[in-house]
């Protein structure tokens, strides 16, 4: 959403490993399953700046900055969100084609944007509730627990789980009153036949742990999905 399509933002997030990105600015030292460095955002003598490859996040225990790879580039380079996305897109060789649908300022387009943001926000809550409460999400909870992600971290990151179903999200969104065209435009469902978007659609995220991606004002604008198996790192992310 915004002017850069959601799918592009997700691709850029998946293609930019946070350890590699930050490690290109200054050296990181491995410390267990994480990486450490002297914090670039405050003066210190012992490293409290930590990069977590599992969560693809950074955090400083000294000055409390932290977030995704986008947040790091925004803070370190003093860029706004779209510029950080473009910079990381260029790094990964991903073309950014800005979506002009949202750049004009007529009411209908504002309304569509507001609606899609609301759908993303509610979907993030739904994914999160699934992870916390549903019996069928137990394997996901255990998977995360094994990787040191407890309920508190899952709550602060609003990590969620998408059921292994072709239409659970579609049905949930329809029940909440969202129109099919809006659900389709959100990218949360895909048409079976790209040539015929009016035909059957299916849930994009199935049986995946879901990480919401926020813009610089904290709105959920995209999702990154991760499967539970332990295949190659690159195959774990859906983009
Ligand atoms: Zn710091």
């Amino acid at each position: 959403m915004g002017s850069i399509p959601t799918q592009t933002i997700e691709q850029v997030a998946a293609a930019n490993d946070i350890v590699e990105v930050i490690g290109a600015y200054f050296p990181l030292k491995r410390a267990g399953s994480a990486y450490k460095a002297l914090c670039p955002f405050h003066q210190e003598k012992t490293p409290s700046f930590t990069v977590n490859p599992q969560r693809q996040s950074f955090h400083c225990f000294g000055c409390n900055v932290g977030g995704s790879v986008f947040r790091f580039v925004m803070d370190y380079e003093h860029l706004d969100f779209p510029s950080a996305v473009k910079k990381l897109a260029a790094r990964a060789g991903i073309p950014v084609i800005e979506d002009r649908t949202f750049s004009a300022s007529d009411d209908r387009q504002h309304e569509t944007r507001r609606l899609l943001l609301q759908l993303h926000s509610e979907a993030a809550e739904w994914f999160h509730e699934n992870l916390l409460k549903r019996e069928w999400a137990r394997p996901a909870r255990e998977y995360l627990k094994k990787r040191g992600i407890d309920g508190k971290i899952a709550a602060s990151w609003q990590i969620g789980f998408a059921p292994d179903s072709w239409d659970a999200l579609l049905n949930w969104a329809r029940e909440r009153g969202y129109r099919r065209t809006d659900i389709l435009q959100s990218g949360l469902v895909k048409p079976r036949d790209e040539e015929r978007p009016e035909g059957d659609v299916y849930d994009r995220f199935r049986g995946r742990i879901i990480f919401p991606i926020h813009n610089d004002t904290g709105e959920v604008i995209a999702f990154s999905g991760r499967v539970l198996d332990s295949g190659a790192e690159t195959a774990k992310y859906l983009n």
Side-chain angles (χ1 to χ4, degrees):
M1 261 173 293
S3 57
I4 302 174
T6 299
Q7 212 150 347
T8 306
I9 293 167
E10 290 172 355
Q11 271 178 5
V12 172
N16 280 279
D17 179 71
I18 194 165
V19 175
E20 283 175 27
V21 170
I22 298 181
Y25 288 107
F26 48 82
L28 294 170
K29 248 197 163 152
R30 197 170 235 294
S33 63
Y35 292 82
K36 289 201 150 194
L38 288 173
C39 180
F41 302 112
H42 84 282
Q43 287 283 336
E44 64 175 2
K45 292 204 172 96
T46 46
S48 40
F49 179 86
T50 308
V51 182
N52 186 318
Q54 284 288 344
R55 296 213 296 274
Q56 286 293 301
S57 68
F58 73 99
H59 181 243
C60 173
F61 295 93
C63 65
N64 230 9
V65 295
S68 66
V69 69
F70 296 123
R71 169 53 60 190
F72 178 83
V73 171
M74 286 162 66
D75 288 353
Y76 196 80
E77 302 247 22
H78 304 290
L79 298 174
D80 62 11
F81 182 75
S83 308
V85 173
K86 283 178 204 162
K87 186 168 182 93
L88 289 172
R91 181 182 175 275
I94 295 170
V96 175
I97 297 147
E98 297 206 32
D99 187 347
R100 306 226 172 271
T101 321
F102 297 119
S103 61
S105 61
D106 71 65
D107 287 349
R108 213 165 58 87
Q109 281 161 355
H110 267 130
E111 175 58 20
T112 303
R113 179 178 156 74
R114 192 197 59 75
L115 197 71
L116 291 180
L117 282 172
Q118 186 188 319
L119 173 53
H120 268 74
S121 161
E122 290 182 9
E125 278 170 35
W126 181 69
F127 286 135
H128 185 56
E129 291 273 314
N130 288 342
L131 177 70
L132 296 188
K133 296 185 179 160
R134 303 285 169 249
E135 178 55 32
W136 40 257
R138 182 185 296 279
R141 288 195 290 272
E142 282 166 4
Y143 175 92
L144 288 169
K145 203 179 282 172
K146 263 189 229 144
R147 282 156 183 79
I149 299 177
D150 60 13
K152 228 172 109 182
I153 297 170
S156 71
W157 283 75
Q158 210 182 17
I159 297 170
F161 188 65
D164 195 5
S165 152
W166 294 97
D167 58 7
L169 179 126
L170 177 66
N171 292 335
W172 165 83
R174 292 302 301 263
E175 272 165 32
R176 292 193 78 104
Y178 288 100
R179 290 180 311 164
R180 195 183 165 289
T181 47
D182 294 324
I183 306 168
L184 190 58
Q185 195 176 350
S186 76
L188 289 167
V189 300
K190 291 178 119 178
R192 288 208 185 275
D193 180 352
E194 296 282 350
E195 307 282 298
R196 288 179 51 252
E198 73 284 357
D200 283 350
V201 296
Y202 63 93
D203 285 9
R204 171 145 173 257
F205 295 108
R206 300 175 308 280
R208 283 172 191 264
I209 291 173
I210 301 292
F211 296 85
I213 298 173
H214 299 86
N215 65 10
D216 50 353
T217 54
E219 294 161 321
V220 178
I221 47 160
F223 295 98
S224 158
R226 188 178 180 143
V227 293
L228 300 185
D229 73 17
S230 49
E233 191 71 25
T234 47
K236 284 185 194 166
Y237 290 96
L238 180 71
N239 57 66

